[in-house]
Amino acid sequence: MTAQRSHRASEGVRPTVKTLAEVTGYSIATVSKALNDSPVVTEDTKERIREAARQIGYSVNPRAASLRTGKTFHAAVLMPISVAEGHEWNGVEYAEILSGISQALEGSPYQLSIHPIRDAAEGVKAAEAIVRRGLADGIAFSGVLQNDPRIEFLSDADFPFVAMGRCDTPKDYAFVDIDSHWLTLDATRRLIAGGHRRIALINPIPSLAYAQSRIAGFRAAFAEADLPDCDDLIAEGDLTARFGRDSVQRLCGGASPPTGFVCVNEATTLGVLAGLRDLGLSAGRDVSVIAYDDLNVSEYLAPPLTTYFQPVEDLGRTLGDFLLRRMAGELPSDLQKVFRPILIPRQPDRLAEAGHSTQQRRMK
């Protein structure tokens, strides 16, 4: 403690890694690796060095560290910007993801750099520029496609990255994901168990990897119940409330309309509720609606809906943590996590209580 105080008290002298090594008794190499969160240093040692750093007032000099290590100490995030006209939910989810990533990076030498993109093609160009120009030490991104060129490029370049989502590729990479297959399978099972046989799936555009996982889970529920599928009730679109409302108008205008809906996100769920209202129907009374929620919105809908809930901020924190560890040299195969949302039942979701006799009202 005396040594730590004397180092803090040295006037005009900024504590360095060498200072920290002298205080802790560890080598400069060990101290440096600990500060960079290297996996070769134990968590106990890292914590001792970090505590000593706090006591002597040590902080990383990003410019000097960059010159010494060749690192930028920037963590890049490819931020999608919706081009859907009137996208009511635009940016809300991604703000929560960024919040989680920021929390994970807190206390590290890394700063976030945001790179807005409109689609995967722009994402590839942004990734190429980051790698070629040395703008960051790692990249995080979401909106993974079934065959995603960003994953192919970054894997081939051996550049640290973490994706929010999985796709069909033999390449091993770090990812955080929702178990979309299980989620949709379980939600559809629930409606089938409640007596529903005509169930609609409100889904993203088919090029997204998780869209295909959701469809596979949807179909699996009918197959295991030995029931005909409801592929004609799969709606695919831009995940806006408008898309949800328009889907209800179209699907409920058919000869065999749905009595249940499985929705992909909060915005489409709001649209589905609005579409039902426009037809004189109500969720819970005439039709069953099951939502997926990552912002805790469904609790406040009228009526409150059965929901599969997974806080998106948790996903962001894990994404940020994995990115730090990937940039520190951990293997991609050790940085893969799939979340299963929690079921929050708020409606019985049974056909008998969904007003089967009101089917004809949808036709009008």
Side-chain angles (χ1 to χ4, degrees):
M1 183 62 70
T2 303
Q4 291 170 354
R5 285 175 178 167
S6 65
H7 279 100
R8 179 184 287 277
S10 299
E11 294 183 4
V13 178
R14 178 185 178 129
T16 64
V17 172
K18 183 179 179 181
T19 311
L20 198 50
E22 292 172 352
V23 168
T24 61
Y26 292 105
S27 68
I28 290 176
T30 298
V31 169
S32 180
K33 289 175 182 177
L35 294 174
N36 286 309
D37 203 27
S38 170
V40 303
V41 181
T42 67
E43 288 301 320
D44 184 57
T45 299
K46 289 178 186 177
E47 186 51 41
R48 289 178 185 176
I49 291 172
R50 288 166 183 159
E51 178 58 29
R54 286 190 287 269
Q55 290 187 21
I56 69 172
Y58 171 84
S59 61
V60 175
N61 182 332
R63 186 173 181 181
S66 179
L67 290 172
R68 184 177 67 254
T69 65
K71 292 185 176 182
T72 67
F73 292 100
H74 279 270
V77 177
L78 306 184
M79 177 62 65
I81 298 176
S82 173
V83 293
E85 183 179 353
H87 194 330
E88 308 88 346
W89 221 257
N90 190 19
V92 177
E93 179 179 339
Y94 294 111
E96 290 294 311
I97 292 174
L98 279 179
S99 174
I101 295 174
S102 297
Q103 290 173 37
L105 297 185
E106 189 175 347
S108 80
Y110 282 92
Q111 294 182 335
L112 276 180
S113 60
I114 311 301
H115 299 257
I117 60 171
R118 287 180 297 180
D119 52 35
E122 282 196 0
V124 173
K125 291 180 180 178
E128 290 174 345
I130 290 167
V131 174
R132 185 178 63 254
R133 296 165 58 189
L135 300 178
D137 301 321
I139 298 175
F141 59 88
S142 59
V144 171
L145 302 179
Q146 191 74 352
N147 297 292
D148 200 296
R150 295 166 296 184
I151 292 174
E152 297 298 314
F153 168 72
L154 291 169
S155 295
D156 290 343
D158 195 24
F159 191 82
F161 74 95
V162 182
M164 185 171 285
R166 295 165 289 169
C167 71
D168 291 339
T169 177
K171 299 182 185 298
D172 205 13
Y173 68 94
F175 63 78
V176 178
D177 201 11
I178 295 292
D179 194 341
S180 295
H181 181 281
W182 171 86
L183 188 158
T184 313
L185 170 65
D186 200 63
T188 309
R189 277 175 177 164
R190 180 179 174 87
L191 291 176
I192 290 174
H196 296 273
R197 296 296 179 266
R198 294 290 289 164
I199 301 168
L201 177 66
I202 309 301
N203 222 34
I205 56 175
S207 59
L208 291 170
Y210 81 102
Q212 297 306 313
S213 295
R214 286 173 54 83
I215 290 174
F218 184 64
R219 289 171 174 164
F222 289 100
E224 71 178 20
D226 198 23
L227 293 171
D229 64 47
C230 288
D231 281 9
D232 61 312
L233 296 180
I234 297 175
E236 299 169 316
D238 59 15
L239 302 188
T240 61
R242 180 187 62 249
F243 163 65
R245 182 191 61 200
D246 292 348
S247 296
V248 169
Q249 297 284 347
R250 178 175 62 82
L251 296 174
C252 288
S256 183
T259 61
F261 287 82
V262 177
C263 300
V264 64
N265 68 349
E266 301 94 332
T268 57
T269 302
L270 284 172
V272 165
L273 294 180
L276 293 172
R277 177 203 62 206
D278 293 345
L279 293 173
L281 304 176
S282 175
R285 184 193 69 197
D286 306 308
V287 177
S288 293
V289 178
I290 296 181
Y292 169 70
D293 189 355
D294 55 25
L295 295 172
N296 199 26
V297 170
S298 296
E299 179 182 359
Y300 304 100
L301 299 178
L305 300 176
T306 294
T307 302
Y308 288 83
F309 178 59
Q310 173 60 57
V312 68
E313 197 171 11
D314 291 350
L315 302 177
R317 272 194 297 271
T318 306
L319 199 69
D321 175 58
F322 281 6
L323 185 58
L324 278 174
R325 292 164 60 184
R326 185 71 188 94
M327 291 187 294
E330 286 197 45
L331 295 174
S333 56
D334 295 332
L335 302 172
Q336 299 173 345
K337 184 168 184 177
V338 178
F339 288 81
R340 279 196 175 181
I342 299 170
L343 173 65
I344 305 176
R346 298 190 180 97
Q347 296 289 336
D349 301 318
R350 292 195 296 271
L351 181 62
E353 298 193 26
H356 184 64
S357 62
T358 63
Q359 287 279 349
Q360 295 303 316
R361 294 169 56 192
R362 300 190 191 99
M363 307 287 292
K364 298 178 181 178

